[in-house]
């Protein structure tokens, strides 16, 4: 059967499916969002001030975690309810390292990647033996285990968390110190995450994940051991979220077990689903939207969740495909 | 090698229900071996035991002289087993071409490649295109596979099964739900195909079976009650009894 592939002329390339055209529009939309974010220091200097800039930064950090979670939920069909564990773990590794006298950003990031990767590998290896609701429950359980473990670190603040008096430095430069240095570092990490997840989704590896989301049976019978692909995706997502945790520790100058709480994991899921699954722009928009709306609503009333809840329901009902799809339709992307 | 695929004493029960009862049969190069039997006879179960989707209680599966009984479904696929499903199982959001390219990708080096656009890999795409041409679905390559007709779905499954050049094909009712013209066309395709890849064919369409099969095994309550040439099986009393009411042509 090998001769056929040789004699085959490949004149028509049937690659330009609707999904692909949409992908190009998505690329532009994503770059536009990132560009607006890059101008936030100037924009907030005119209106909003540092308070708003701080909020935007918080949203950007959460967006890194949300985009990485989308690799699992949106592209792989794996609803992880424990993704905030990696945020918490990344921030604690950072905080503990700083407290223990390690100040170099590179060694700290190395530790963050090593520990978050290790945690993802172990918990993922077990969680991925299950599927569906059981997967949701077991990732939730691992997340809670980590939450309680962090709460019990009495020498690092226990339940109350720990204020950090130092910031990591990069060869003597304080690019992770709160202010414009941290803002642009966060922006760079966010852009890299956004790019990487897009590349991964379109790669051979991502194609197996996407196919496995629809039919694990088919993917197996064609010759892929889906478990290994999903485990790798779980570790990759954990690494990105770990780095987000590092940035969060730098941003808040504080570490707290509640970063790893199940509520936080739930918020990340809401960001992904609200923004639109399987489109990294969705997770990005979702994170910005949730953080800003939460802030805006909570200014008017302490019962802001009473408003936010129905809003979620409305978006889920009427904006099929989430905010990213809404944006694409408004922009004539389809 | 006179036998490509051998099933040796396979046994499977679901609880107290014995669904595969000591089945031994084989598949020779260039042949189509049809497996017929009434609904619930255990045909799909047998295919699942061979492809590894189910684990047998006893017995073994030998492909090209290698015992593959302990391999997982993906390992068996890589060892050279291609299969289709009775109920169409394709990636509906992928284009037709990308479904087949995905299957080609499985046999083309490592898929732990995180960068580079898989959809633009010419080598995979041209192999996928060749398989689609063979099956007669080349003109639909760019269509989203959710938009295919039922008959085209069956063909797509077949293209995915053959693109990796397997050593043996397991087809579970490929004609199910096809129109008259469609099944006649598919019968012709399979007739050519079996000379390259031997086929273990589960099929209810007796017209197709008697056109295609070099040998037929009749399965009833999980047991092979008759094996032989189409002529011999047609004459066999037990085989007729198993198909009570169905007319063997
Ligand atoms: N996973 C399972 N658990 C329990 N019983 C099963 C399972 N799968 C199949 N069976 C039973 O095993 C028997 C054989 O089923 P199987 O699907 O193999 O039949 P078949 O010959 O393919 O039938 P058909 O012609 O309808 O496709 C049936 O009685 C079925 O109900
Ligand atoms: Mg069946």
């Amino acid at each position: 059967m090998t001769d056929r592939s040789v004699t085959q002329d490949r004149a028509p390339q049937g690659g330009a499916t609707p999904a692909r055209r949409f992908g190009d529009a998505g690329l532009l939309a994503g770059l536009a969002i990132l560009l607006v974010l890059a101008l936030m220091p100037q924009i907030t200097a005119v209106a909003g001030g540092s308070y708003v800039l701080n909020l935007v930064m918080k949203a950007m950090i959460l967006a890194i975690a949300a985009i990485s979670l989308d690799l699992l939920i949106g592209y792989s069909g794996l609803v992880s309810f424990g993704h905030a564990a990696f945020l918490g773990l990344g921030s604690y590794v950072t905080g503990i390292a700083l407290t223990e006298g390690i100040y170099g950003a590179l060694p700290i990031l190395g530790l963050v990647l090593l520990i978050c990767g290790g945690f993802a590998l172990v918990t993922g290896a077990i969680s991925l033996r299950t599927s569906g609701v059981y997967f949701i429950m077991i990732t939730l359980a691992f997340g809670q285990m980590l939450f309680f473990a962090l709460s019990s670190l009495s020498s690092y603040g226990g339940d109350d968390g720990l204020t950090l008096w130092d910031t990591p430095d990069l060869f003597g430069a304080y690019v992770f110190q709160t202010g414009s240095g941290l803002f642009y570092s966060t922006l760079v990490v966010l852009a890299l995450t956004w790019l990487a997840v897009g590349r991964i989704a379109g790669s051979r590896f991502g194609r197996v994940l996407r196919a496995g989301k629809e039919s694990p049976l088919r993917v197996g019978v064609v010759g892929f051991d889906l478990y290994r692909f999903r485990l790798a995706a779980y570790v990759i997502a954990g690494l990105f979220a770990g780095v987000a945790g590092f940035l969060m520790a730098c941003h808040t100058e504080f570490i707290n077990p509640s970063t790893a709480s199940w509520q936080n994991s739930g918020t990340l899921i809401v960001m992904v689903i609200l923004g639109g699954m399987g489109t990294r722009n969705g997770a990005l928009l979702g994170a910005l939207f949730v953080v800003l709306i939460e802030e805006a609503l909570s200014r008017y009333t302490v019962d802001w969740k009473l408003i936010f809840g129905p809003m979620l329901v409305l978006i889920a009902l009427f904006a099929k495909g989430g905010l990213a799809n809404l944006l694409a339709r408004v922009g004539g992307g389809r | 090698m006179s036998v490509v695929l051998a099933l040796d004493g396979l046994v499977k029960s679901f609880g107290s229900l014995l669904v595969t009862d000591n089945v031994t049969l084989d598949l020779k190069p260039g042949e189509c071996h049809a497996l017929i039997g009434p609904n619930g006879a255990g045909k799909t179960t047998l295919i699942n035991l061979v492809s590894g989707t189910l684990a047998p209680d006893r017995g073994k599966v030998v492909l090209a002289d290698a015992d593959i009984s302990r391999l997982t479904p993906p390992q068996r696929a890589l060892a050279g087993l291609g299969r289709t499903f009775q109920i169409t199982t394709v990636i509906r959001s992928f284009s037709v071409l990308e479904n087949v390219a995905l299957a080609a990708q499985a046999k083309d080096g490592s898929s732990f490649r995180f960068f580079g656009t898989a959809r633009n890999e010419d080598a995979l795409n041209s192999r996928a295109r060749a398989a689609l041409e063979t099956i007669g679905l080349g003109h639909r390559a760019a269509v989203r596979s959710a938009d295919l007709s039922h008959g085209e779905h069956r063909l797509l499954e077949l293209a995915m099964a053959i693109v990796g050049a397997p050593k043996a094909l397991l087809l579970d009712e490929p004609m199910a739900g096809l129109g008259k013209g469609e099944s006649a066309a598919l019968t012709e395709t399979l007739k050519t195909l079996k000379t390259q890849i031997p086929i273990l064919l589960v099929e209810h369409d007796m017209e197709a079976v008697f056109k295609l099969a070099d040998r037929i095994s009749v399965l009833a309550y999980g047991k092979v009650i008759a094996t032989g040439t189409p002529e011999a099986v047609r004459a066999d009393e037990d085989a007729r009894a198993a198909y009570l009411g169905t007319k063997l042509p």
Side-chain angles (χ1 to χ4, degrees):
Chain A
M1 291 228 305
T2 41
D3 55 329
R4 262 192 279 110
S5 47
V6 179
T7 54
Q8 178 69 26
D9 67 324
R10 51 182 202 307
Q13 279 295 335
T17 55
R20 179 181 187 142
R21 269 182 273 123
F22 182 61
D24 290 344
L27 189 73
L28 289 179
L31 288 174
I33 300 168
L34 288 172
L35 186 68
V36 171
L37 286 175
L39 294 174
M40 278 325 270
Q42 287 75 33
I43 295 172
T44 53
V46 178
S50 65
Y51 179 74
V52 172
L53 188 60
N54 263 330
L55 271 182
V56 171
M57 211 140 108
K58 177 183 171 191
M60 282 161 62
I61 293 171
L62 289 174
I64 296 168
I67 292 174
S68 71
L69 180 61
D70 195 26
L71 186 64
L72 301 180
I73 297 184
Y75 293 105
S76 315
L78 299 168
V79 182
S80 168
F81 209 146
H83 206 54
F86 297 100
L87 267 180
L89 196 56
S91 68
Y92 262 76
V93 171
T94 307
I96 292 173
L98 287 170
T99 321
E100 298 302 330
I102 304 173
Y103 303 112
L106 290 185
I108 294 178
L109 277 170
L111 281 173
V112 166
L113 293 177
L114 200 71
I115 292 171
C116 287
F119 185 71
L121 193 65
V122 173
T123 58
I126 298 166
S127 308
L128 289 166
R129 295 279 170 205
T130 67
S131 60
V133 176
Y134 299 100
F135 180 79
I136 299 178
M137 297 310 286
I138 198 166
T139 49
L140 175 66
F142 278 126
Q144 286 304 92
M145 270 167 59
L146 187 90
F147 169 76
F148 287 117
L150 297 181
S151 307
S152 70
L153 292 175
S154 48
S155 46
Y156 300 105
D159 280 337
D160 301 327
L162 185 68
T163 301
L164 306 176
W165 302 104
D166 297 288
T167 336
D169 67 287
L170 192 67
F171 307 117
Y174 284 91
V175 293
F176 296 110
Q177 193 156 34
T178 309
S180 63
L182 184 61
F183 179 85
Y184 290 111
S185 315
T186 303
L187 184 70
V188 167
V189 176
L190 175 61
L192 288 178
T193 307
W194 179 84
L195 265 176
V197 168
R199 294 303 301 244
I200 290 172
S203 71
R204 280 188 170 207
F205 176 79
R207 173 143 83 180
V208 176
L209 289 180
R210 285 182 288 121
K213 179 186 179 183
E214 268 190 57
S215 175
L217 181 67
R218 163 51 72 192
V219 168
V221 159
V222 140
F224 297 107
D225 184 356
L226 187 58
Y227 176 80
R228 292 169 55 212
F229 288 84
R230 287 181 160 176
L231 183 55
Y234 196 80
V235 171
I236 292 170
L239 293 178
F240 279 110
V243 173
F246 165 89
L247 293 169
M248 186 172 270
C250 298
H251 175 56
T252 55
E253 299 174 313
F254 184 67
I255 55 175
N256 190 299
S258 70
T259 307
S261 67
W262 69 268
Q263 288 94 334
N264 236 5
S265 292
T267 304
L268 290 175
I269 295 179
V270 167
M271 289 170 176
V272 170
I273 294 178
L274 190 69
M277 289 179 280
T279 62
R280 55 209 161 126
N281 291 349
L284 181 54
L285 283 172
L288 293 168
F289 185 80
V290 169
V291 170
L292 296 178
I293 284 289
E294 187 180 305
E295 183 62 27
L297 290 180
S298 60
R299 281 180 162 220
Y300 292 108
T301 164
V302 286
D303 297 322
W304 62 272
K305 282 184 179 160
L306 284 179
I307 306 173
F308 190 57
M311 251 167 95
L312 283 185
V313 174
L314 285 178
I315 292 178
L317 283 179
F318 295 110
K320 210 155 171 283
L323 296 172
N325 190 35
L326 204 63
L327 189 80
R329 272 188 285 170
V330 170
R334 282 251 200 203
Chain B
M1 185 175 58
S2 58
V3 168
V4 178
L5 177 70
L7 326 193
D8 187 4
L10 286 176
V11 176
K12 176 77 187 176
S13 33
F14 293 116
S16 60
L17 182 67
L18 186 59
V19 186
T20 306
D21 187 358
N22 198 17
V23 171
T24 298
L25 55 83
D26 59 31
L27 189 61
K28 299 194 171 81
E31 112 174 306
C32 173
H33 189 154
L35 197 59
I36 65 174
N39 291 114
K43 304 178 297 294
T44 298
T45 303
L46 194 63
I47 297 278
N48 284 337
L49 292 176
V50 178
S51 73
T53 319
L54 284 174
D57 301 333
R58 253 183 297 133
K60 56 181 185 173
V61 180
V62 178
L63 178 68
D65 295 327
D67 188 345
I68 59 168
S69 313
R70 295 192 186 286
L71 303 187
T72 61
Q75 288 169 332
R76 291 185 199 202
L78 297 183
L81 274 185
R83 80 164 280 186
T84 65
F85 291 91
Q86 182 170 355
I87 297 161
T88 306
T89 314
V90 299
I91 311 302
R92 297 172 62 83
S93 69
F94 282 18
S95 73
V96 169
L97 186 72
E98 201 173 6
N99 265 283
V100 190
L102 173 76
Q105 183 186 318
K107 292 223 179 157
D108 183 87
S110 172
S111 279
F112 278 89
R113 294 190 201 163
F114 302 95
F115 297 99
T117 308
R119 199 187 276 137
N120 296 343
E121 284 196 47
D122 287 344
L124 295 182
N125 287 344
S126 61
R127 243 178 294 156
R129 212 170 273 286
L132 286 169
E133 295 295 345
T134 305
I135 300 305
L137 204 58
H139 60 294
R140 302 285 272 163
V143 176
R144 219 174 97 101
S145 54
D147 299 334
L148 292 182
S149 72
H150 173 76
E152 289 170 330
H153 271 137
R154 315 294 328 194
L155 296 180
L156 173 54
E157 285 238 338
L158 192 56
M160 292 176 79
I162 67 162
V163 71
K167 298 190 175 93
L169 271 179
L170 314 167
L171 306 185
D172 197 353
E173 300 197 24
M175 313 282 173
L178 295 195
K180 260 237 153 317
E182 285 176 317
S183 43
L186 184 54
T187 305
E188 285 313 307
T189 307
L190 293 181
K191 217 165 183 167
T192 324
L193 196 60
K194 73 174 185 181
T195 61
Q196 295 169 305
I197 314 168
I199 300 173
L200 184 62
L201 173 74
V202 169
E203 190 49 68
H204 277 302
D205 180 343
M206 285 308 136
E207 206 178 315
V209 165
F210 278 89
K211 266 191 195 139
L212 274 170
D214 303 288
R215 280 192 295 161
I216 298 178
S217 289
V218 184
L219 205 63
Y221 299 106
K223 223 178 167 68
V224 177
I225 56 165
T227 292
T229 60
E231 296 71 38
V233 168
R234 195 177 292 158
D236 191 293
E237 286 300 320
D238 289 344
R240 289 179 168 278
Y243 264 104
L244 214 61
T246 318
K247 208 169 102 258
L248 296 183

